[in-house]
Amino acid sequence: MLIVKKFGGSSVADKEKIYHVAQRCIEDYQKGNEVVVVLSAMGKTTDKLIELAKEMAPNPSKRELDMLLATGEQTSVACMAMAMGALGVPCVSLNAFQVAMHTTSTYGSARFKRIDSQRIRHELDSKKIVIVTGFQGMNKYDDVTTLGRGGSDTTAVALAAALKADACEIYTDVEGIYTGDPRVVPNAKKLKEITYDEMLELATLGAKVLHNRSVEVAKKYGVQLVVRSSLNTAEGTIVKEEVDVESMLISGVAVDKNTARIAVIGVKDVPGTAFKIFNLLGKHNINVDIIIQSIGREGTKDISFTVARDDVSEVIALLEENKSRITAQRIEKDETVAKVSVVGAGMQSNPGVAAKMFEAIYNAGINIRMIATSEIRVTVLLDEADADNAMRAVHDRFIEY
Ligand code: ADP
Ligand code: ASP
Ligand code: MG
């Protein structure tokens, strides 16, 4: 069997943990499997590198930021190879260039385009464990790119697809995927399995247990994933196309605090205004989530929407620059909001999910600011200070014990 095993930052945070992970990989190798290991940066390394960059310059170049961030993963693969070497197992560490993992050119949020499997194949054929940097890639200018926070999951899945691996295992600091973040919702339940579509929504809406792109890639190439603990051997959660058990109404709740509300006030109530605003943002690769347009009064209206907090300064700058073209009187921002969502394929055939959610939030005495729905999710925007309470209230309303 060819197994791709990915370990997150907390699983390789120090020497002891690296040796522990090395042992687990060696066990699989000694059973006769081919083993490819994908690693994140050790512990909080990426956060620290981002802080370092901010110390260096208030607005560091995105290219140089990726150059810096990619060093985190390079450190962990080299250390892992040293540990496995000390344990007497043949192995080799490789970065994105050595593998040739080609991505789009957008620094900070690059996407895989093509991965060469030749070099890894060659190393596996010579009976080595291959240890690959997560999170990084190379673009057409031969520059280093990164995939966005949490992107090592996507490296693992993309490699599993490229190598046609028999298994793709994501090891982390919880025992699997739960009905809510177990650190916020103490009575969250571990799921045996979950569909790609549900996991994609959860990941996109803030459940950072998997990078959302990793789920997209897994669905596209039919890579079945298992998410499990790097600390014990408890059964994890399987992510796949369809689940065997009759789908639960709700598979989980998620909270996303990396969100901000932008309001474009007093734009002309004429055709084309929304197009101008969102076309402008789209051209600059800004992801917009919930959108609300107020009812027009006296020829003007307001358009509000949410974006990731990292994008706020760019969005404000863009809108201010184009203020007269989009006919705005004023632009406002609010960075003290959060999104809480419920996700479940079961809601397609069960009306009333939204009402149940709003009731739980009302009972908790929390005010809702904006609402968005899709076939399999309901999202509300509320004050960040209320987010964890809202998440617990909504979770307990849906998940039975
Ligand atoms: P890693 O470093 O291994 O990639 P992450 O910190 O990126 O780990 O993701 C694991 C974390 O995701 C958990 O510690 C947990 O707090 C959080 N999390 C959020 N939502 C969920 C969920 N629904 N199920 C499990 N974990 C979740
Ligand atoms: N080290 C990167 C991060 O912290 C990638 C990852 O952990 O998946 O975001
Ligand atoms: Mg992660």
Side-chain angles (χ1 to χ4, degrees):
M1 281 226 310
L2 196 169
I3 311 174
V4 174
K5 300 167 90 72
K6 180 260 168 178
F7 295 86
S10 50
S11 308
V12 292
D14 55 33
K15 179 184 156 193
E16 281 65 41
K17 288 186 172 151
I18 289 182
Y19 267 89
H20 173 77
V21 166
Q23 289 288 7
R24 274 193 98 149
C25 297
I26 290 171
E27 275 168 32
D28 278 339
Y29 172 81
Q30 286 174 338
K31 284 181 197 149
N33 298 298
E34 295 181 314
V35 179
V36 175
V37 185
V38 174
L39 300 182
S40 296
M42 292 167 67
K44 302 252 172 262
T45 301
T46 310
D47 292 333
K48 289 189 191 135
L49 291 172
I50 291 172
E51 272 166 32
L52 174 62
K54 283 186 186 150
E55 276 172 35
M56 295 313 298
N59 215 344
S61 132
K62 288 189 172 179
R63 177 193 183 276
E64 302 308 336
L65 186 60
D66 277 5
M67 188 74 170
L68 179 66
L69 296 191
T71 62
E73 273 64 20
Q74 197 154 323
T75 304
S76 34
V77 294
C79 288
M80 181 63 72
M82 290 173 190
M84 286 186 186
L87 294 168
V89 176
C91 63
V92 62
S93 68
L94 298 174
N95 68 17
F97 274 70
Q98 292 166 308
V99 174
M101 292 195 268
H102 301 272
T103 68
T104 56
S105 35
T106 30
Y107 302 105
S109 58
R111 290 165 170 243
F112 283 119
K113 285 169 71 180
R114 185 166 50 83
I115 295 181
D116 291 353
S117 52
Q118 237 175 335
R119 173 76 190 264
I120 295 183
R121 195 59 265 165
H122 169 75
E123 303 291 358
L124 290 172
D125 289 343
S126 49
K127 298 283 173 254
K128 287 181 192 152
I129 294 183
V130 182
I131 310 154
V132 182
T133 49
F135 181 53
Q136 57 175 260
M138 57 192 285
N139 68 14
K140 63 181 174 195
Y141 309 112
D142 268 354
D143 280 339
V144 179
T145 55
T146 67
L147 309 176
R149 298 305 305 269
S152 300
D153 300 326
T154 303
T155 307
V157 176
L159 273 177
L163 296 165
K164 302 193 171 53
D166 301 290
C168 183
E169 304 167 347
I170 310 287
Y171 290 86
T172 184
D173 56 2
V174 288
E175 285 185 11
I177 297 161
Y178 287 71
T179 49
D181 184 340
R183 293 182 206 286
V184 182
V185 184
N187 47 6
K189 282 202 295 192
K190 186 166 84 181
L191 299 165
K192 233 177 135 49
E193 36 188 34
I194 185 169
T195 65
Y196 294 127
D197 290 336
E198 289 171 309
M199 190 58 229
L200 183 57
E201 289 276 2
L202 278 177
T204 306
L205 294 166
K208 67 166 185 169
V209 61
L210 283 177
H211 190 230
N212 64 345
R213 279 287 296 159
S214 74
V215 188
E216 265 174 42
V217 177
K219 181 178 164 73
K220 183 165 172 196
Y221 295 99
V223 177
Q224 189 167 309
L225 301 180
V226 58
V227 177
R228 50 190 303 192
S229 167
S230 63
L231 300 168
N232 61 42
T233 54
E235 240 177 77
T237 304
I238 297 170
V239 190
K240 55 186 194 170
E241 185 62 44
E242 273 175 26
V243 298
D244 299 335
V245 287
E246 197 174 305
S247 177
M248 286 198 295
L249 176 59
I250 290 304
S251 58
V253 299
V255 63
D256 185 358
K257 295 179 184 173
N258 177 20
T259 191
R261 189 177 66 93
I262 306 287
V264 186
I265 312 279
V267 295
K268 274 199 186 133
D269 194 10
V270 293
T273 312
F275 166 70
K276 280 182 199 153
I277 295 174
F278 295 109
N279 187 43
L280 176 70
L281 300 178
K283 274 192 185 146
H284 287 82
N285 280 320
I286 309 274
N287 258 325
V288 173
D289 187 26
I290 313 177
I291 301 175
I292 287 190
Q293 175 175 301
S294 71
I295 292 177
R297 57 186 141 62
E298 291 159 16
T300 68
K301 62 191 174 187
D302 306 333
I303 296 181
S304 309
F305 53 89
T306 60
V307 294
R309 276 187 207 168
D310 317 325
D311 290 337
V312 168
S313 45
E314 191 179 352
V315 170
I316 296 286
L318 277 171
L319 294 173
E320 288 290 351
E321 261 169 50
N322 291 276
K323 206 167 164 184
S324 57
R325 202 166 66 82
I326 58 178
T327 69
Q329 289 168 6
R330 212 167 66 243
I331 320 282
E332 289 176 0
K333 65 171 180 182
D334 182 351
E335 291 173 287
T336 62
V337 292
K339 278 187 282 192
V340 170
S341 308
V342 291
V343 171
M347 69 174 75
Q348 291 176 85
S349 47
N350 278 282
V353 168
K356 218 166 150 179
M357 179 186 191
F358 302 155
E359 184 190 15
I361 293 174
Y362 164 60
N363 286 340
I366 295 167
N367 192 32
I368 295 174
R369 309 247 224 126
M370 288 166 104
I371 299 168
T373 62
S374 82
E375 277 186 338
I376 64 167
R377 68 131 165 172
V378 183
T379 300
V380 298
L381 190 81
L382 32 75
D383 287 341
E384 181 177 359
D386 293 328
D388 289 352
N389 278 337
M391 167 127 144
R392 284 187 282 266
V394 171
H395 180 271
D396 291 353
R397 184 74 177 80
F398 283 101
I399 311 291
E400 284 159 24
Y401 303 94

Short mmCIF file of all heavy atoms in Angstrom, two decimals, residues 6 8-9 40 149-153 172 208-211, ligand 3:
data_model
loop_
_atom_site.label_atom_id
_atom_site.label_comp_id
_atom_site.label_asym_id
_atom_site.label_seq_id
_atom_site.Cartn_x
_atom_site.Cartn_y
_atom_site.Cartn_z
N LYS A 6 -0.26 12.87 6.89
CA LYS A 6 0.02 14.29 7.15
C LYS A 6 -0.08 14.59 8.64
O LYS A 6 -1.04 14.19 9.30
CB LYS A 6 -0.96 15.16 6.36
CG LYS A 6 -0.75 16.66 6.55
CD LYS A 6 -1.73 17.26 7.53
CE LYS A 6 -1.38 18.67 7.95
NZ LYS A 6 -2.37 19.25 8.88
N GLY A 8 0.04 17.74 11.49
CA GLY A 8 -0.05 19.19 11.68
C GLY A 8 0.97 19.71 12.66
O GLY A 8 1.70 18.93 13.30
N GLY A 9 1.01 21.04 12.79
CA GLY A 9 2.03 21.71 13.60
C GLY A 9 2.12 21.22 15.03
O GLY A 9 3.23 21.00 15.55
N SER A 40 3.54 19.97 8.54
CA SER A 40 3.38 21.41 8.73
C SER A 40 4.60 21.92 9.49
O SER A 40 5.41 21.14 9.97
CB SER A 40 2.15 21.72 9.58
OG SER A 40 0.99 21.31 8.95
N ARG A 149 -3.37 29.67 5.12
CA ARG A 149 -3.24 29.03 6.43
C ARG A 149 -3.94 27.68 6.45
O ARG A 149 -5.04 27.54 5.93
CB ARG A 149 -3.80 29.94 7.54
CG ARG A 149 -3.10 31.26 7.72
CD ARG A 149 -1.61 31.13 7.94
NE ARG A 149 -1.19 30.28 9.03
CZ ARG A 149 -0.98 30.67 10.29
NH1 ARG A 149 -1.17 31.94 10.60
NH2 ARG A 149 -0.58 29.82 11.21
N GLY A 150 -3.28 26.69 7.02
CA GLY A 150 -3.85 25.35 7.09
C GLY A 150 -3.64 24.54 5.82
O GLY A 150 -4.16 23.43 5.69
N GLY A 151 -2.85 25.08 4.89
CA GLY A 151 -2.75 24.48 3.55
C GLY A 151 -2.03 23.14 3.46
O GLY A 151 -2.10 22.47 2.41
N SER A 152 -1.37 22.70 4.53
CA SER A 152 -0.67 21.41 4.43
C SER A 152 -1.62 20.24 4.18
O SER A 152 -1.23 19.24 3.57
CB SER A 152 0.11 21.13 5.72
OG SER A 152 1.06 22.13 5.93
N ASP A 153 -2.86 20.38 4.66
CA ASP A 153 -3.85 19.32 4.37
C ASP A 153 -4.00 19.16 2.85
O ASP A 153 -4.11 18.05 2.33
CB ASP A 153 -5.22 19.70 4.95
CG ASP A 153 -5.19 19.90 6.45
OD1 ASP A 153 -4.43 19.19 7.12
OD2 ASP A 153 -5.93 20.77 6.94
N THR A 172 -3.99 14.84 13.58
CA THR A 172 -4.05 16.16 14.20
C THR A 172 -4.16 16.03 15.72
O THR A 172 -3.89 14.96 16.28
CB THR A 172 -5.21 16.98 13.56
OG1 THR A 172 -5.20 18.29 14.11
CG2 THR A 172 -6.55 16.32 13.77
N LYS A 208 -11.58 24.64 11.21
CA LYS A 208 -10.25 24.57 10.59
C LYS A 208 -9.60 23.19 10.71
O LYS A 208 -8.42 23.05 10.40
CB LYS A 208 -9.35 25.64 11.18
CG LYS A 208 -9.02 25.42 12.63
CD LYS A 208 -7.87 26.32 13.05
CE LYS A 208 -7.50 25.98 14.48
NZ LYS A 208 -6.27 26.57 14.92
N VAL A 209 -10.36 22.19 11.15
CA VAL A 209 -9.78 20.84 11.24
C VAL A 209 -9.28 20.36 9.88
O VAL A 209 -8.33 19.58 9.80
CB VAL A 209 -10.78 19.86 11.91
CG1 VAL A 209 -12.08 19.73 11.10
CG2 VAL A 209 -10.17 18.51 12.16
N LEU A 210 -9.88 20.82 8.79
CA LEU A 210 -9.35 20.56 7.44
C LEU A 210 -9.34 21.86 6.64
O LEU A 210 -10.28 22.67 6.75
CB LEU A 210 -10.20 19.53 6.69
CG LEU A 210 -10.04 18.06 7.07
CD1 LEU A 210 -11.02 17.20 6.26
CD2 LEU A 210 -8.61 17.56 6.82
N HIS A 211 -8.31 22.04 5.83
CA HIS A 211 -8.24 23.19 4.91
C HIS A 211 -9.32 22.98 3.86
O HIS A 211 -9.44 21.89 3.30
CB HIS A 211 -6.85 23.19 4.25
CG HIS A 211 -6.54 24.42 3.46
ND1 HIS A 211 -6.06 24.35 2.18
CD2 HIS A 211 -6.62 25.73 3.78
CE1 HIS A 211 -5.84 25.59 1.74
NE2 HIS A 211 -6.17 26.43 2.69
MG MG B 3 -4.48 22.52 10.06
#
